Structure formats: structure tokens, C-alpha cells
Amino acid sequence: MTEMVYGTVPVQTGEPILPKWWRTLDKWTMSCILLLFVIGLLLGLAASVPLASRNGFDNFHYVQRQGTFGFMALLAMVLTSMMTPTLVRRLAVIGFICSFVALALLPVLGTDFGKGAVRWYSLGFASVQPSEFLKPGFIVVAAWLIAASQQINGPPGTLWSFALCLTVVGFLVMQPDFGQSCLILFGWGVMYFVAGAPMLLLVAMAGTVIVGGVVAYSASEHFARRIDGFLSPDIDPTTQMGYATNAIREGGLFGVGVGEGQVKWSLPDAHTDFIIAVAAEEYGLVLVVILIGLYASIVVRSLFRLMKERDPFIRLAGTGLVCMFGVQAMINMGVAVRLLPAKGMTLPFVSYGGSSLIAGGIAVGMLLAFTRTRPQGEIADFLRGRGRG
């Protein structure tokens, strides 16, 4: 009767998992993710060759590794997207606990690879960045707690989630990793806003973040150097920001041509943090606009599907995941065009990086699991019906 009233896709009894998954999946978002990965491989063919040459590897060493990591990420995404929301929540709790323990042990067992921030575990053949895996786990766990607090006689889940957020941010600041800290705070803030947070409280939180930034500027030389470089009216042409700015300017509308770019030979992070500069120089504004369109499509389409979701937990978790995904992309591109200070943040599914790719695959898999079509009425119908009662 519910299906007849609301006109949703009927669920067939005993339907095989794969056909059911494919029928209920948001195929548009999946297609956008695949296109991002293909573009990442294409840019990797250009951006990572100089790095491989400097390190004495085969020219396509890093491209092959990115292909391997990408396959693992896509596999993780597909498998996760097949799970039920309950199973996703359980996976997130386990993943969050493991990632948090790994994050807490970084000062003892981690390494900085000469970059001034202890963020990685070195495994010899690869490295692991726990904060990348922590983000999706935290979002789902925090959404679960906030949703639980909305139930009658429910626990003070919102307060617990905020305490958990501050704890995670504290460990990230110790590395220091202010970029990931901002993402965690933003993700929690978005979910709290969607759950019905008072605007005054959100303003107070924003003020607290500003005060924290001032304290970090005074206490951290690494942070202060990046802020000073961002605020300086002049750009040192020998810095990463200078190389990236010049590359974007040289690219123009259609770029200088495939393989003709020069910034990849000067930028040490051309294949990760500044890969958008390689895209702008060789392929021009056209490819950059395509990338922005793909990220915007994923965010907007997912939010529209989540607006129709009745379950508060699914709505909050999905919103947190997709907003964090979109803001990370915005920060990476904003840094490259000097709209934001340098953050050391990858471009999702485009930049090179095993931890970033695999963790991104898990996060998007969770999002796809939350946005799958379910036999339920529109949320507006539910609210109208409740209002009549």
C-alpha cells in the first residue's frame, strides 16, 4: 500500500544483490567519480614523470601506483555502496576507532617525511595517513550521535559528538594539520546546522575558530609562514605558489598543449596538492571548468536526493560526507589560485596518493549507500501528514 501511495520503486522479494544495487544506485554520481579518476590518471601521466625521474624510477612509476590505488579505491567504493545504512554505520564505528588510535600514536610511531608535520606511518613500500580514513568514520559516528539525540528520551548525542569533534581536532592540531582540522569542524558544523542548530551558536563557533586561528598563528611558525605568504601582496616566483600562479596564467583558455607544460618540472607537489596547476597549464580553463562541474554535480545531486530522505541519521551522515567532499575540492583549487592559504590538501580522486584515494573511495561508497533509492515516501509528504495529525 505504501508503494502504491508514494509511487516508489517496488522492492522484489529475493532480488539478487547486484541487480538491486544497480537499480537503486545514483548512477550519475558514480559516473562523475569515474570521470574524475580518469582525469586524475591523465594528469598523472604529465605531473608525476618529473618526480619519477628525480627519484630514479621508471617514468610512469607513480602513474602505475595511482592506477593500483585507484582500483582499490573503486573496489572499496562499490563494495561499500552495496551495504545497508546499518552496516555502513557499523563499518564507520570500527574504522573510526582504528583510525583514531592510529592518529593518537602518530607522535610516537609516525614520520613527517621532511615536511614538518608528523602525519604518516611509513610502511617501507607505501605510507598511510590516518586522518584521511578518520574523516568518513567521524562524520558517520557524529551523525549517529546527533540523530540519536533527536529521539524521545534519547542520549545527549549532540554534546557527545561535539566533544568527540574537539578531541579529534586537538590531535590533528598537534601534528600540526590545520587543514584537516578545519574539514572536521566544517563537517560537524554542517550536520549540526541541518539538525536544527541555533544560528547564534553557529556564529559563536565561527568566532571560536577565528580565535583559534589567531592563537595558532602566534604559536606555530609553520602556520604563520603560510599565512604570511598568503597575505603578502607579492608572490615569490620561486615558491610553489609562484610556480602555480604562473602556470595558471600561461595556460589561458585552452592550455599550452598536452605534455608541453613546464610547471611540473618545478613544483615538488605538482602531482598532489597543486595538480590543478598542471591541468590549467596544459589543458587550460576548459578542463578546470569541467572539473568544477563534476564536483558541483556530485554535491548538488547528492544533496537533492538526501532532501527526500526520512531517516535523520542517513540525511545527516550523507550531508556531512558530501559537503566535506565538496569543500576539500574547493580548498585544493582555492589554494592553487591563491584564494586560500596553502593547506596541503589533495584534490579528491584526481591527486596522487594512496591514503587519499582509498579513503575517498570508502567515503563516496558510504555516500552512494545513503543516497540509494528506498521504498519510502517523500519527506515533505511525511511532514504534511504529521502536521494534519
Side-chain angles (χ1 to χ4, degrees), residues 65-308:
R65 286 173 64 88
Q66 184 172 2
T68 302
F69 291 137
F71 173 77
M72 296 168 62
L74 295 177
L75 181 62
M77 178 181 69
V78 170
L79 293 177
T80 306
S81 67
M82 292 181 178
M83 297 180 181
T84 63
T86 301
L87 190 55
V88 170
R89 186 180 64 203
R90 293 171 181 170
L91 172 68
V93 170
I94 296 173
F96 173 76
I97 293 174
C98 295
S99 301
F100 183 77
V101 171
L103 183 72
L105 293 177
L106 272 176
V108 180
L109 304 175
T111 181
D112 63 354
F113 289 112
K115 296 186 177 183
V118 183
R119 302 176 184 175
W120 300 271
Y121 286 102
S122 177
L123 305 179
F125 60 92
S127 60
V128 177
Q129 186 174 355
S131 61
E132 292 288 354
F133 296 92
L134 182 76
K135 290 184 296 185
F138 167 78
I139 289 295
V140 176
V141 170
W144 181 29
L145 292 172
I146 295 174
S149 68
Q150 297 179 343
Q151 299 175 359
I152 299 176
N153 298 323
T158 301
L159 181 61
W160 292 351
S161 69
F162 184 59
L164 191 63
C165 176
L166 293 181
T167 304
V168 170
V169 168
F171 278 100
L172 288 172
V173 169
M174 288 171 56
Q175 295 181 1
D177 191 345
F178 298 104
Q180 302 286 15
S181 301
C182 291
L183 272 183
I184 291 290
L185 284 170
F186 173 79
W188 186 87
V190 165
M191 291 189 296
Y192 192 32
F193 174 76
V194 172
M199 186 59 67
L200 184 61
L201 183 57
L202 292 176
V203 172
M205 285 180 57
T208 304
V209 171
I210 294 175
V211 172
V214 174
V215 173
Y217 180 84
S218 303
S220 172
E221 181 181 351
H222 174 76
F223 183 76
R225 187 168 58 251
R226 290 192 169 187
I227 296 298
D228 290 339
F230 171 69
L231 296 177
S232 174
D234 301 318
I235 303 177
D236 186 349
T238 61
T239 62
Q240 293 203 102
M241 192 64 69
Y243 288 129
T245 303
N246 184 66
I248 294 171
R249 185 185 304 114
E250 291 292 328
L253 185 59
F254 298 106
V256 299
V258 180
E260 298 297 323
Q262 298 301 314
V263 71
K264 58 195 176 187
W265 297 99
S266 307
L267 271 174
D269 292 329
H271 62 310
T272 53
D273 300 351
F274 288 92
I275 197 165
I276 197 69
V278 178
E281 184 182 30
E282 297 201 358
Y283 298 92
L285 180 64
V286 174
L287 182 59
V288 176
V289 171
I290 291 174
L291 284 170
I292 293 174
L294 289 173
Y295 286 113
S297 297
I298 293 169
V299 173
V300 173
R301 184 172 177 84
S302 297
L303 288 177
F304 270 111
R305 292 175 74 95
L306 289 166
M307 286 173 59
K308 303 175 182 180

Side-chain angles (χ1 to χ4, degrees), residues 33 36-37 40 73-74 77 295 325 347-351 357 360-361 364:
I33 293 295
L36 286 173
F37 176 64
L74 295 177
M77 178 181 69
Y295 286 113
F325 176 85
L347 190 60
F349 286 95
V350 176
S351 296
L357 272 172
V364 173

